[in-house]
Amino acid sequence: MNCNIEITPGLYYVGANDYRTQKFEALWTLPHGVSYNSYLMVDEKVALIDTIEAKYTETFLTNIRNILGSRGIDYLIINHMEPDHSASIAAVRRAYPDVQIVGNPKTIDMINGFYGICHNMLVVKEGDTLHLGEKDLTFYPIPMVHWPETMATYCPQEKILFSGDAFGCFGALVGGVIDEDICCDIYWDEMYRYYASIVGKYGVPVQNALKKLAPLPIDIICTTHGPVWKKYTKKVIDIYDRLSRHESEKGVVIVYGSMYGNTARMAEEIAQAIGSQGIDKVVLYDISTVDKSVVLRDIFRYNSLIIGSATYNTGLFPDIEALLSALRNREVKSKVYGCFGSFSWAGRAVKELTAFGNDMHWTMPGAPVEMRQGFSDAIIGQCRELAKSIAAELKKC
Ligand SMILES: Cc1cc2nc3c(=O)[nH]c(=O)nc-3n(C[C@H](O)[C@H](O)[C@H](O)COP(=O)(O)O)c2cc1C
Ligand SMILES: [Fe+2]
Ligand SMILES: [Fe+2]
């Protein structure tokens, strides 16, 4: 984006859209792009809040210069050190040699480690306030959302929270930056996907952050990815609250790995049977073709998960194994769970999927279905029984 947008008097958006990166963190697809947001607060003093990804440093500096002209920047506030936000710190320092860099002790240490910058730093702690003139900025560390140094910055006069990655989402900003000025349809799915992919492991720290920030009246959230939240502030806080408590909607995700289609057939049978039990939210994914972040998104969204796998080299289908690892890593909670799978000479997949459900302490209302070699009426019956048990459990929720 090559435009500057005034959010409130004296507060400007100076970030950029990225439509070129194919995978965020080299992992997560970006069908709608992503924005790296940075904000410039112009008062008696000038404060820049966060920087942006290295590919867009020149756009970023141009955006800043278009607003400031020959004026300098007094403070560069760093809420988060992940390189999608910190990569332009050195460039800002080169362009504005007198800028004082503001961060908590962990941030300051990382700035030295990443970029070798250690002079003219202002170390802040919880509740410290920087007076810019008419406006103040107060700092609230929110550790592990999703790095240890993460911090939120709050402007009490405008009731604006600069939240770092918290309340962020994938999706570039099209036609404006404030939610009320643009169509927000794409951002809700993209928020679930962003949360599940990036923040999903850190539910407890997100809850701690929400509790810490709860006393602050917040009208506007300026996050580092996605729209500036003004119209939907409450909705966005609510989504992050629910996701971080692992609260989900009624619905079933069926995901399977299948080399030759036998396990896929079981998945179809189970999906049909669940639908016929009156559960209308059923999504079915072949793990080998689907975007993994979409599967994670829906696992965070829905309260039931059924995983299937063919036995592959005495273990799970490799992509299913990777999915289990991602779910274990995120400590995904309270699923109504079922599993199924197949083998030809020595079954392994269903044993591992069953053990996984137990390890995760999920509710397993139905018997796992294990197929040897080919499909049969008996297997169809067992798939239907599993579906019935899952549906019955969901009806209790
Ligand atoms: C590469 C490969 C490795 C396999 N490894 C095993 C194995 O270790 N143990 C086993 O019982 N079956 C093994 N099988 C057989 C499959 O698990 C079995 O045929 C299964 O029903 C295939 O399901 P699908 O049609 O969904 O791919 C293997 C099959 C392939 C193609
Ligand atoms: Fe981040
Ligand atoms: Fe980020």
Side-chain angles (χ1 to χ4, degrees):
M1 197 182 309
N2 220 340
C3 61
N4 307 307
I5 292 168
E6 194 165 20
I7 297 161
T8 58
L11 177 66
Y12 300 87
Y13 179 90
V14 288
N17 279 332
D18 181 356
Y19 290 103
R20 280 164 52 202
T21 299
Q22 302 225 346
K23 288 190 175 177
F24 190 81
E25 292 181 352
L27 285 167
W28 318 110
T29 56
L30 293 170
H32 303 287
V34 65
S35 71
Y36 310 109
N37 303 343
S38 166
Y39 303 93
L40 190 67
M41 196 171 252
V42 180
D43 201 334
E44 286 164 32
K45 301 273 187 189
V46 173
L48 179 62
I49 301 163
D50 289 314
T51 77
I52 69 171
E53 221 273 345
K55 283 200 239 45
Y56 299 91
T57 302
E58 278 314 310
T59 308
F60 175 53
L61 292 174
T62 303
N63 290 346
I64 295 169
R65 266 187 233 111
N66 285 345
I67 295 162
L68 293 181
S70 58
R71 206 175 159 184
I73 300 175
D74 298 284
Y75 302 111
L76 169 58
I77 292 152
I78 301 299
N79 282 328
H80 182 27
M81 278 300 293
E82 193 171 359
D84 54 333
H85 309 294
S86 70
S88 304
I89 291 178
V92 169
R93 203 15 118 52
R94 277 194 298 277
Y96 298 92
D98 297 330
V99 69
Q100 190 166 34
I101 300 178
V102 182
N104 62 52
K106 286 187 184 127
T107 317
I108 300 295
D109 181 56
M110 284 191 185
I111 293 172
N112 192 11
F114 272 98
Y115 306 112
I117 296 172
C118 57
H119 70 281
N120 199 12
M121 315 295 264
L122 179 64
V123 184
V124 293
K125 58 180 184 333
E126 170 126 16
D128 282 358
T129 295
L130 207 55
H131 303 289
L132 300 182
E134 288 184 10
K135 289 166 204 158
D136 298 329
L137 293 173
T138 305
F139 306 106
Y140 296 93
I142 48 169
M144 295 319 301
V145 180
H146 59 130
W147 276 29
E149 83 301 349
T150 42
M151 186 169 90
T153 296
Y154 180 67
C155 173
Q157 290 81 6
E158 301 277 11
K159 300 187 178 67
I160 299 177
L161 184 74
F162 299 93
S163 61
D165 280 346
F167 312 116
C169 62
F170 292 132
L173 299 172
V174 185
V177 302
I178 305 175
D179 58 2
E180 64 189 8
D181 299 337
I182 58 183
C183 173
C184 288
D185 292 355
I186 63 154
Y187 299 115
W188 308 119
D189 264 5
E190 286 297 76
M191 182 169 283
Y192 274 79
R193 199 167 68 85
Y194 178 85
Y195 183 91
S197 309
I198 312 291
V199 192
K201 180 176 174 54
Y202 303 101
V204 172
V206 171
Q207 278 293 306
N208 292 339
L210 289 170
K211 283 190 192 98
K212 183 182 280 190
L213 301 173
L216 305 177
I218 298 170
D219 285 348
I220 299 176
I221 297 175
C222 290
T223 164
T224 44
H225 301 288
V228 168
W229 301 113
K230 188 172 177 189
K231 178 174 167 189
Y232 294 115
T233 300
K234 198 179 156 320
K235 173 171 174 165
V236 163
I237 293 173
D238 188 55
I239 290 174
Y240 265 72
D241 181 32
R242 280 188 287 111
L243 285 171
S244 56
R245 284 189 286 107
H246 295 266
E247 193 184 297
S248 42
E249 302 163 28
K250 189 181 289 189
V252 184
V253 178
I254 303 172
V255 55
Y256 66 87
S258 169
M259 289 85 73
Y260 290 105
N262 293 293
T263 315
R265 245 179 112 182
M266 299 171 84
E268 293 274 9
E269 196 62 47
I270 293 166
Q272 285 285 340
I274 288 184
S276 70
Q277 294 291 315
I279 307 288
D280 58 351
K281 288 271 173 52
V282 187
V283 289
L284 181 73
Y285 295 120
D286 178 336
I287 194 75
S288 69
T289 52
V290 71
D291 179 341
K292 308 298 179 288
S293 61
V294 168
V295 179
L296 288 176
R297 177 195 73 193
D298 284 351
I299 290 174
F300 269 81
R301 173 174 283 159
Y302 296 121
N303 62 352
S304 178
L305 173 62
I306 307 177
I307 306 182
S309 175
T311 301
Y312 185 96
N313 290 351
T314 70
L316 290 164
F317 186 81
D319 287 353
I320 289 290
E321 196 163 18
L323 176 68
L324 300 197
S325 161
L327 299 177
R328 218 180 263 120
N329 177 272
R330 286 163 179 73
E331 298 171 46
V332 171
K333 299 208 183 351
S334 8
K335 294 290 165 212
V336 174
Y337 177 69
C339 62
F340 61 96
S342 62
F343 71 102
S344 277
W345 59 92
R348 201 55 227 162
V350 170
K351 287 184 188 67
E352 293 200 15
L353 291 174
T354 307
F356 175 72
N358 287 327
D359 289 350
M360 298 296 280
H361 305 291
W362 290 343
T363 308
M364 289 173 60
V369 185
E370 187 171 43
M371 179 173 74
R372 185 170 163 271
Q373 295 161 359
F375 222 58
S376 65
D377 287 347
I379 289 295
I380 293 177
Q382 289 173 38
C383 287
R384 288 184 184 162
E385 279 310 308
L386 173 63
K388 256 195 219 162
S389 310
I390 298 267
E393 189 67 29
L394 287 187
K395 284 175 190 163
K396 291 187 211 157
C397 300

